[in-house]
Amino acid sequence: MKTILQTVDLKMIYQIGKVAVNALRGVNLTVNQAEFVAIMGPSGCGKSTMLHILGGMLKPSSGSVLIDGQDLSKMSDGSRTELRRQKIGFVFQKFNLFPTLTAEGNIRLAERIRLNGNHKNDSERRREILRLLNLEGRLNHKPLELSGGEQQRVAIARALVGSPAIVLADEPTGNLDSENSQIVLKMLQELNGKFGQTIVMITHSPEAASIAQRVVHMRDGQIVNK
Ligand SMILES: Nc1ncnc2c1ncn2[C@@H]1O[C@H](COP(=O)(O)OP(=O)(O)OP(=O)(O)O)[C@@H](O)[C@H]1O
Ligand SMILES: [Mg+2]
């Protein structure tokens, strides 16, 4: 089985004035290609910090992250940004769509950025994703004209187009009611099954975690056996 993501002794210390917060205290995590992993743990244990580091959005204090064999810590800021654009899809708790673009505009922009002139024709995959996420009838709506569940489905489509190696999701159902949570989770599960999409998802909900193939528990900046 191919390893798509690996962290080696990842540490993160946030320094605020004289106060140091040890957010990560040596995290070793390996994720295989096509795996769906859920991350659980109490508030403040370092889950979002870890996900942001995995996505190359935050630099760790020490340790390394390998994405598809490439070591983020050995890359320049520019090439790390490039790798993030091409290989990482991010889904946030608060959707983060561009308000002035339609659903389709949001999705196409993400696809253009990810493919970056690589004219791999992904329109078949895009259509499939839109079908699976049941968004075909909402493509001309702007975010404010969509329900929360629909906005999150657009955000998921945006994270998936252009075939990223990994989708990282930080509490993707945190702002949804239970019905929309169910829908979004079921779709993530189908996308993982159908496209073999690797997904790492933070969640507080045991129900959400139960759709993953593996649950990783964190506490005080470390991975623990439950
Ligand atoms: N930008 C920052 N500057 C300083 N400290 C931070 C920063 N971001 C997070 N922290 C601290 O680092 C620790 C881990 O935060 P993090 O956001 O990773 O937790 P979390 O597990 O995602 O929590 P939650 O479940 O509430 O989202 C916390 O103690 C938090 O206060
Ligand atoms: Mg968090």
Side-chain angles (χ1 to χ4, degrees), residues 14-16 21-24 41-50 52 58 93 170-171 202 204 218:
Y14 291 109
Q15 192 75 41
I16 311 167
V21 178
N22 272 290
L24 297 180
S43 181
C45 73
K47 304 179 297 296
S48 295
T49 298
M50 181 177 79
H52 287 102
L58 186 65
Q93 184 173 348
D170 195 347
E171 300 191 49
I202 294 175
H204 281 284
M218 286 182 73

Side-chain angles (χ1 to χ4, degrees), residues 136-157:
E136 289 155 306
R138 293 290 182 275
L139 290 177
N140 293 321
H141 290 234
K142 292 193 175 152
L144 284 175
E145 302 156 358
L146 295 166
S147 74
E150 287 166 346
Q151 286 182 61
Q152 192 59 307
R153 274 144 56 200
V154 173
I156 291 169

Side-chain angles (χ1 to χ4, degrees), residues 55-119:
M57 294 185 279
L58 186 65
K59 264 191 166 170
S61 304
S62 65
S64 53
V65 178
L66 283 90
I67 304 279
D68 209 1
Q70 288 179 280
D71 189 339
L72 295 188
S73 58
K74 297 202 171 113
M75 299 171 92
S76 66
D77 287 353
S79 24
R80 206 174 51 250
T81 302
E82 199 46 48
L83 178 128
R84 183 177 80 215
R85 282 182 176 161
Q86 287 175 11
K87 302 220 164 173
I88 309 283
F90 222 98
V91 180
F92 302 89
Q93 184 173 348
K94 288 184 183 151
F95 322 146
N96 285 14
L97 298 172
F98 285 107
T100 55
L101 294 179
T102 61
E104 182 167 25
N106 269 281
I107 292 164
R108 283 193 180 256
L109 176 64
E111 189 175 39
R112 267 215 307 283
I113 290 172
R114 185 155 300 133
L115 296 179
N116 190 25
N118 277 328
H119 288 292

